[in-house]
């Protein structure tokens, strides 16, 4: 078993919780200063943080597993660095990446999928790293299933689906960090009015991957070539991504990536 479970620290827990509900997640577990919300594909854990603290607005990389000992054995067998740890709460596994980045695989008995959650929404957890290939190898070693097509393009990311829900992505970057995002398999023009109606302010960027830019430059400047170039850069086409960013009171933001239409099958 492998399921994406990021932990997001925030001084604006009620606001972030409401945003995730408006996005289509559903409550799973809640307590004083914390909550776990489920999507159809992946879960998100929220924890309160003091406003302005180092943790406020940050995301911790994490996954859920079934059997820590077996998970550690398989990860090591597949070339990953996994250490079984005993804690008062039970066993867990610490994974160490090539850039020194560490994250935890925590055991869970939760196996359900929430049918009330938006079927088009997927939790996406990104590991930003200067060592893209070796980080990707670490995600493959824990059981990530390689995607044939990455949202950001093969030159920028290596992306994996988790068997029990969510997307894990190694993203090329100058420094190591973690970010939480979501993937929406429907068109942005449907998502944006829904969020606006709920009172959220959004920044929207229609972009393209660097690989799509290179492909566009290689298309001849004929009438047909211009049509092909415009198609390759359009949101909802291969190589086109719309980023919808919702700012939060804690100074952070939540980003939703969508390509719409033709990408739907790839994102599920």
């Amino acid at each position: 078993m492998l399921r994406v479970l990021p932990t997001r620290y925030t001084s604006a827990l009620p606001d972030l919780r409401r945003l995730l509900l408006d996005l289509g997640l559903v409550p799973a577990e809640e307590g004083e200063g914390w909550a776990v919300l489920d999507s159809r594909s992946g879960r998100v854990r929220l924890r309160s943080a003091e406003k302005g603290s180092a943790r406020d607005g940050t995301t911790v990389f994490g996954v859920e597993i079934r059997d820590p000992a077996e998970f550690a054995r398989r990860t090591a067998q597949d070339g990953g660095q996994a250490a079984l740890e005993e804690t008062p709460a039970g066993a867990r596994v610490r994974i160490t990446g090539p850039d020194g980045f560490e994250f935890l695989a925590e055991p869970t008995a939760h196996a359900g999928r929430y049918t009330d959650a938006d079927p088009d929404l997927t939790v996406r957890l990104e590991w930003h790293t200067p060592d893209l290939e070796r980080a990707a190898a670490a995600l493959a070693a824990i059981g990530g299933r390689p995607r044939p097509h990455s949202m950001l393009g093969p030159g920028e990311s290596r992306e994996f689906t988790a068997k029990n829900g969510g997307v894990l992505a190694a993203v090329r970057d100058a420094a190591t960090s973690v970010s939480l995002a979501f993937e929406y398999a429907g068109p942005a023009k449907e998502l944006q009015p829904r969020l606006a109606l709920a009172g959220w302010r959004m920044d929207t960027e229609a972009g393209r991957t660097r690989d799509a830019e290179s492909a566009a430059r290689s298309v001849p400047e004929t009438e047909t070539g211009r049509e092909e170039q415009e198609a390759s850069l359009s949101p909802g086409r291969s190589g086109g991504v719309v980023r919808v960013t919702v700012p939060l009171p804690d100074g952070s933001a939540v980003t939703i990536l969508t390509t719409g239409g033709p990408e739907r099958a790839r994102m599920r």
Side-chain angles (χ1 to χ4, degrees):
M1 174 184 170
L2 183 70
R3 179 166 48 218
V4 173
L5 178 65
T7 300
R8 179 68 166 261
Y9 288 87
T10 177
S11 59
L13 194 150
D15 300 89
L16 180 52
R17 179 185 180 278
R18 182 171 71 87
L19 172 59
L20 298 189
L21 294 180
D22 290 339
L23 281 173
L25 281 77
V26 295
E29 308 166 45
E30 297 193 72
E32 183 65 31
W34 67 276
V36 178
L37 288 81
D38 275 28
S39 76
R40 284 282 190 95
S41 185
R43 313 177 82 198
V44 179
R45 179 165 53 199
L46 308 180
R47 289 194 185 277
S48 289
E50 184 178 349
K51 187 172 181 61
S53 66
R55 275 193 161 178
D56 193 13
T58 63
T59 300
V60 175
F61 200 100
V63 295
E64 286 185 319
I65 58 173
R66 183 76 67 210
D67 183 333
E70 180 63 12
F71 177 83
R73 185 191 69 80
R74 290 186 178 183
T75 299
Q77 178 178 290
D78 290 340
Q81 186 174 338
L84 189 64
E85 298 181 347
E86 293 294 340
T87 74
R92 64 186 186 183
V93 181
R94 183 176 299 275
I95 308 298
T96 303
D99 53 7
F101 174 68
E102 295 181 335
F103 64 91
L104 295 175
E106 303 176 73
T108 181
H110 178 86
R113 285 176 179 258
Y114 281 76
T115 56
D116 290 339
D118 188 331
D120 284 334
L121 198 73
T122 296
V123 179
R124 176 185 173 96
L125 187 50
E126 296 182 342
W127 170 3
H128 295 253
T129 174
D131 197 339
L132 180 62
E133 298 304 332
R134 292 174 67 195
L139 294 179
I142 68 170
R145 297 172 169 178
R147 265 180 164 176
H149 306 280
S150 68
M151 289 282 285
L152 305 183
E156 298 304 305
S157 67
R158 298 286 185 273
E159 301 179 5
F160 302 82
T161 57
K163 178 181 179 181
N164 297 87
V167 170
L168 299 167
V171 179
R172 190 186 303 280
D173 212 332
T176 301
S177 65
V178 175
S179 63
L180 166 66
F182 295 89
E183 296 181 5
Y184 181 66
K189 65 182 179 181
E190 292 180 3
L191 176 68
Q192 294 166 358
R194 191 172 87 193
L195 292 179
L197 189 63
W200 295 104
R201 180 174 66 83
M202 290 162 284
D203 297 318
T204 304
E205 177 187 357
R208 58 184 188 256
T209 67
R210 292 185 187 177
D211 300 291
E213 290 175 349
S214 299
R217 286 194 296 268
S218 68
V219 176
E221 279 298 320
T222 61
E223 193 64 36
T224 302
R226 281 194 295 273
E227 292 174 359
E228 291 176 357
Q229 178 172 331
E230 290 171 0
S232 72
L233 304 183
S234 298
R237 305 286 186 122
S238 179
V241 175
V242 174
R243 294 173 179 266
V244 179
T245 303
V246 182
L248 292 166
D250 63 9
S252 69
V254 168
T255 298
I256 306 100
L257 305 180
T258 179
T259 55
E263 291 293 309
R264 180 183 298 268
R266 294 178 185 172
M267 294 172 63
R268 297 303 301 158

